[in-house]
Amino acid sequence: MIDPFGRRVDYLRVSVTDRCDFRCAYCMSEDMTFLPKAEVLSLEELERLCRTFIDLGVRKMRITGGEPLVRRNVMWLFEQLGRQLDNGRLDELTVTTNGSQLTRHAADLYACGVRRINVSLDTLNPDKFLAITRWGKFDRVMAGIDAAQAAGLAVKINTVAVRDFNEDEIDRMIAWCGERGLDMTLIEAMPMGDIGLNRADQHLALSDVRQDLAQRWTLQPSDHKTGGPASYVTVAETGRRLGFITPLSHNFCESCNRVRLTCTGTLFMCLGQDDAADLRTPLRASSDDEVLAQAIHAAIARKPKGHDFIIDRNVANPAVARHMSVTGG
Ligand code: SAM
Ligand code: SF4
């Protein structure tokens, strides 16, 4: 699949649920309304959609959410997608998780062919962890990371940088990741969905964080590229990779290789735009995968050139109306 700007789209992110067992302050409001179950695709429907994307050239898939590992029977989907790894039609299957269910699922994920996972963790302080996730249990996430590493999964830590919350902890987290053999990515909070707070109060420019870190750590340029919004360095002191996802201070759209599917079968061609294509209607209208393939091609033809994120203190509404938990980041 090639979009109108000549970019090859071979990476699909799939949000398998909008629900979550946490309520992270930058992601959700405390009282979220979730989708009625009837609107959510069955795992069989999601699998058929994923298979059609693979038929069309998708080589890499990431399962996300909401919290993907709270969806009932989600391991069935991993097993089906794992078969696509076995037969060489998929190169990589990954997952982004808050870590709360990893003690239960880490070994099964490995058995399905998953080799790398992202675990979100914004602080190493249990009280602050409870404050930012509202409902999360720190010890359980730590046990989950242990289980993942014991199962043989490479773990990357995703940390959202939040002003006046964790900026003073980033050094400690880099050191901790070094000791534990974990890569780490710092993420700038993006203005997605109403969270009951002013986004400008949370925003911390990672360009400033990076400059500050460079005074204490040797940040060596790395040519590691994912086609995504992260730029990477290697921290010489720890030997681990450190990524910076900076959608607001940098534009990363020229090399974008991905689209995002929600659990209702809606395809977002860009994380930072509201335009989307409904794939549930063609999915349910016909058992012919060709009908679905045509709908996907039509959607890719609408992939926009870039995102429209802006954080403006004087504008009350978020730049993108949906929450990150809809498309999974
Ligand atoms: N629940 C899983 C988790 O937390 O890893 C997967 C879904 S979560 C929406 C995916 C990633 O998006 C997490 O790393 C989370 O920290 C990040 N995220 C959520 N809301 C965000 C926002 N408004 N700006 C930037 N990153 C955000
Ligand atoms: Fe849940 Fe992940 Fe959003 Fe936190 S960031 S509320 S864990 S979906």
Side-chain angles (χ1 to χ4, degrees):
M1 293 182 284
I2 308 287
D3 81 355
F5 303 95
R7 297 169 297 192
R8 180 180 300 278
V9 177
D10 57 8
Y11 181 13
L12 179 69
R13 293 191 170 217
V14 187
S15 172
V16 295
T17 177
D18 64 328
R19 291 168 193 251
C20 186
D21 51 345
F22 291 7
R23 292 287 180 280
C24 301
Y26 46 76
C27 180
M28 294 191 180
S29 63
E30 194 150 16
D31 55 337
M32 290 287 286
T33 309
F34 293 110
L35 291 164
K37 291 226 163 86
E39 282 195 29
V40 175
L41 298 185
S42 68
L43 290 173
E44 288 77 8
E45 288 174 317
L46 277 170
E47 191 272 334
R48 185 178 155 214
L49 262 172
C50 289
R51 205 165 6 94
T52 309
F53 272 99
I54 294 171
D55 291 343
L56 295 178
V58 160
R59 304 288 314 174
K60 184 175 165 190
M61 230 174 249
R62 176 175 295 277
I63 306 300
T64 176
E67 174 46 41
L69 300 184
V70 300
R71 171 126 193 204
R72 190 180 304 169
N73 288 335
V74 72
M75 279 303 141
W76 177 84
L77 182 63
F78 280 99
E79 280 163 25
Q80 305 308 311
L81 296 173
R83 290 194 187 143
Q84 305 283 349
L85 290 169
D86 294 341
N87 64 26
R89 292 189 352 120
L90 196 60
D91 293 332
E92 196 177 36
L93 177 62
T94 58
V95 57
T96 300
T97 172
N98 65 23
S100 69
Q101 312 296 318
L102 278 174
T103 48
R104 254 188 327 139
H105 289 312
D108 291 340
L109 287 171
Y110 190 89
C112 293
V114 175
R115 292 295 175 266
R116 298 189 305 129
I117 65 170
N118 289 357
V119 179
S120 302
L121 180 70
D122 304 320
T123 173
L124 290 170
N125 176 320
D127 295 332
K128 283 169 74 176
F129 183 82
L130 183 60
I132 195 93
T133 62
R134 296 193 183 109
W135 296 3
K137 295 201 170 60
F138 181 76
D139 292 345
R140 206 161 146 183
V141 171
M142 286 297 129
I145 294 172
D146 289 344
Q149 289 193 290
L153 296 166
V155 178
K156 181 161 74 74
I157 299 294
N158 275 355
T159 303
V160 177
V162 182
R163 175 176 295 286
D164 297 333
F165 174 74
N166 60 3
E167 54 202 302
D168 57 347
E169 252 199 280
I170 295 174
D171 286 297
R172 183 171 167 225
M173 291 189 74
I174 291 174
W176 178 79
C177 285
E179 287 155 21
R180 298 268 327 220
L182 308 167
D183 288 338
M184 178 176 175
T185 298
L186 289 166
I187 306 176
E188 235 167 53
M190 296 173 223
M192 298 186 68
D194 183 6
I195 52 164
L197 300 168
N198 188 326
R199 292 281 183 184
D201 293 337
Q202 294 187 328
H203 185 242
L204 186 60
L206 283 188
S207 43
D208 297 343
V209 172
R210 186 173 175 157
Q211 264 186 355
D212 180 54
L213 289 174
Q215 300 188 13
R216 294 175 303 283
W217 302 92
T218 315
L219 306 181
Q220 296 168 331
S222 155
D223 53 9
H224 182 70
K225 288 253 180 313
T226 62
S231 74
Y232 289 91
V233 297
T234 302
V235 181
E237 289 80 0
T238 65
R240 303 306 312 184
R241 208 177 272 152
L242 176 64
F244 297 86
I245 300 193
T246 52
L248 300 170
S249 41
H250 284 283
N251 209 303
F252 49 84
C253 305
E254 313 78 52
S255 59
C256 182
N257 59 352
R258 59 202 61 195
V259 286
R260 297 172 158 87
L261 182 68
T262 74
C263 60
T264 58
T266 304
L267 188 73
F268 285 93
M269 284 71 82
C270 172
L271 182 65
Q273 297 275 1
D274 282 326
D275 184 36
D278 166 31
L279 298 181
R280 185 174 59 186
T281 304
L283 175 83
R284 291 187 171 165
S286 162
S287 57
D288 181 359
D289 288 345
E290 189 45 40
V291 174
L292 200 49
Q294 279 172 16
I296 294 171
H297 275 305
I300 299 296
R302 284 189 356 230
K303 188 167 160 64
K305 194 167 179 201
H307 67 69
D308 275 343
F309 286 130
I310 356 159
I311 289 188
D312 183 341
R313 197 168 272 285
N314 301 314
V315 178
N317 295 329
V320 173
R322 65 184 188 278
H323 288 92
M324 185 69 103
S325 51
V326 174
T327 34

